[in-house]
Amino acid sequence: MSHTVDISYFSLALALLLLVIPLLISRYLKLGIVKQTVISVARMAAQLFLVGIFLNYVFAYNNAILTVTWFLMMVCFAVYSVINSTHLNYKYLLAPSLLAFVVSNFLVLLYFNSVIVRINYLFDAKYIIAIGGMLLGNALRGNIVGIGDFYNGIRKEEKLYFYYLSCGAGRKEALLPFFRRSMSTAIKPTIANMATMGIVSLPGMMTGQILGGSSPLVAIKYQIAIMIAIFTSTMLSICLAVLFTVKVCFDDYGILRKDVFRS
């Protein structure tokens, strides 16, 4: 099969013309997102070009320490995005969330590379960063929904939580209904995505491999494996994040600290 057709910088500039359509719609409907959209696209392009240039050196050097350092930096940005999006306090959430993300995603990533793909060099930068990025991206979305829903649910239904405690339930028992609901809410989009994959949409990894010259059957096997890995890492990271953060976000009496939420 042929290799992927390169896109010239002129063609990439022509791709920006597609933005005219959503920007005109936004302006006509007065959505107020024109400036935000332009800034976001500019940031995306700048960040991706800088990352692309840096990754050329990372892939060429292919050093385990450098690769793991880059992966940990990706984890830090993911955790920052989760806490920032949920409006929770960095003081309580940062350290336990970092631990949850590192443990869940790195374990699944190592299993994927060593057992499923069976690459010779376990810390191959191409596999660690590419596969790790997909795991982190989906875990990030799941954690924003899961952690945010969990703590906001307790704050909104504080009386119900206190009622459980007054009936003799331990902290874990009282928190379990909130945890079940937040986990279900966070994981449903991934389940729905898997259920419609191949019929409604062709996922990014599969499309990229086909454009790169891989056989559709090879691309399908990779996509099935990565979706299972994504589902596992997302669910595991949410579980660990809630488990680890609960230990610091509640006081000795089982009451949610008021300063867990940023003003």
Side-chain angles (χ1 to χ4, degrees):
M1 292 188 176
S2 59
H3 295 289
T4 307
V5 177
D6 192 12
I7 297 177
S8 67
Y9 288 106
F10 176 73
S11 297
L12 190 59
L14 291 177
L16 293 175
L17 289 177
L18 289 173
L19 282 175
V20 173
I21 298 173
L23 291 179
L24 287 177
I25 293 173
S26 173
R27 182 157 185 167
Y28 179 76
L29 296 177
K30 298 180 180 179
L31 301 179
I33 61 171
V34 173
K35 182 179 179 181
Q36 182 183 355
T37 301
V38 173
I39 293 174
S40 295
V41 171
R43 284 186 59 181
M44 174 191 69
Q47 289 167 180
L48 286 176
F49 271 113
L50 289 174
V51 168
I53 293 169
F54 181 74
L55 287 182
N56 274 331
Y57 293 99
V58 174
F59 291 164
Y61 194 47
N62 208 17
N63 177 268
I65 296 176
L66 182 60
T67 301
V68 172
T69 301
W70 179 262
F71 178 77
L72 291 176
M73 191 172 70
M74 292 166 62
V75 171
C76 291
F77 276 105
V79 170
Y80 169 80
S81 297
V82 170
I83 300 174
N84 189 55
S85 299
T86 53
H87 303 289
L88 297 172
N89 196 325
Y90 293 97
K91 180 176 72 173
Y92 294 113
L93 274 291
L94 185 59
S97 296
L98 273 172
L99 181 60
F101 262 69
V102 169
V103 171
S104 58
N105 288 280
F106 202 65
L107 286 179
V108 173
L109 179 58
L110 289 181
Y111 181 86
F112 187 91
N113 287 344
S114 61
V115 179
I116 300 174
V117 183
R118 299 184 183 182
I119 57 177
N120 295 323
Y121 180 42
L122 194 57
F123 292 96
D124 191 316
K126 183 171 62 176
Y127 284 89
I128 290 286
I129 294 173
I131 304 299
M134 283 186 278
L135 296 181
L136 284 172
N138 286 272
L140 185 153
R141 288 190 288 271
N143 275 267
I144 288 174
V145 176
I147 296 176
D149 184 82
F150 177 73
Y151 285 105
N152 281 301
I154 295 171
R155 181 169 65 170
K156 291 177 182 177
E157 300 181 62
E158 191 175 45
K159 291 182 179 179
L160 178 61
Y161 172 64
F162 287 155
Y163 172 74
Y164 290 147
L165 292 176
S166 67
C167 289
R171 187 177 66 180
K172 291 182 179 179
E173 292 177 293
L175 290 175
L176 189 57
F178 300 98
F179 177 63
R180 284 179 180 148
R181 184 179 63 189
S182 62
M183 177 63 76
S184 178
T185 303
I187 214 69
K188 278 181 179 178
T190 303
I191 295 174
N193 188 26
M194 287 193 293
T196 58
M197 195 165 288
I199 298 176
V200 177
S201 65
L202 285 179
M205 184 180 190
M206 182 177 169
T207 304
Q209 285 197 314
I210 291 173
L211 291 176
S214 297
S215 162
L217 289 177
V218 173
I220 286 169
K221 286 185 284 185
Y222 263 90
Q223 189 61 53
I224 292 172
I226 193 61
M227 285 308 301
I228 294 172
I230 285 171
F231 183 71
T232 303
S233 66
T234 300
M235 182 165 279
L236 184 59
S237 65
I238 298 171
C239 285
L240 292 180
V242 172
L243 179 65
F244 293 162
T245 57
V246 158
K247 295 181 180 297
V248 295
C249 291
F250 289 80
D251 62 21
D252 295 335
Y253 301 99
I255 299 174
L256 182 65
R257 301 180 190 275
K258 299 301 181 184
D259 57 344
V260 164
F261 299 92
R262 299 200 309 272
S263 57

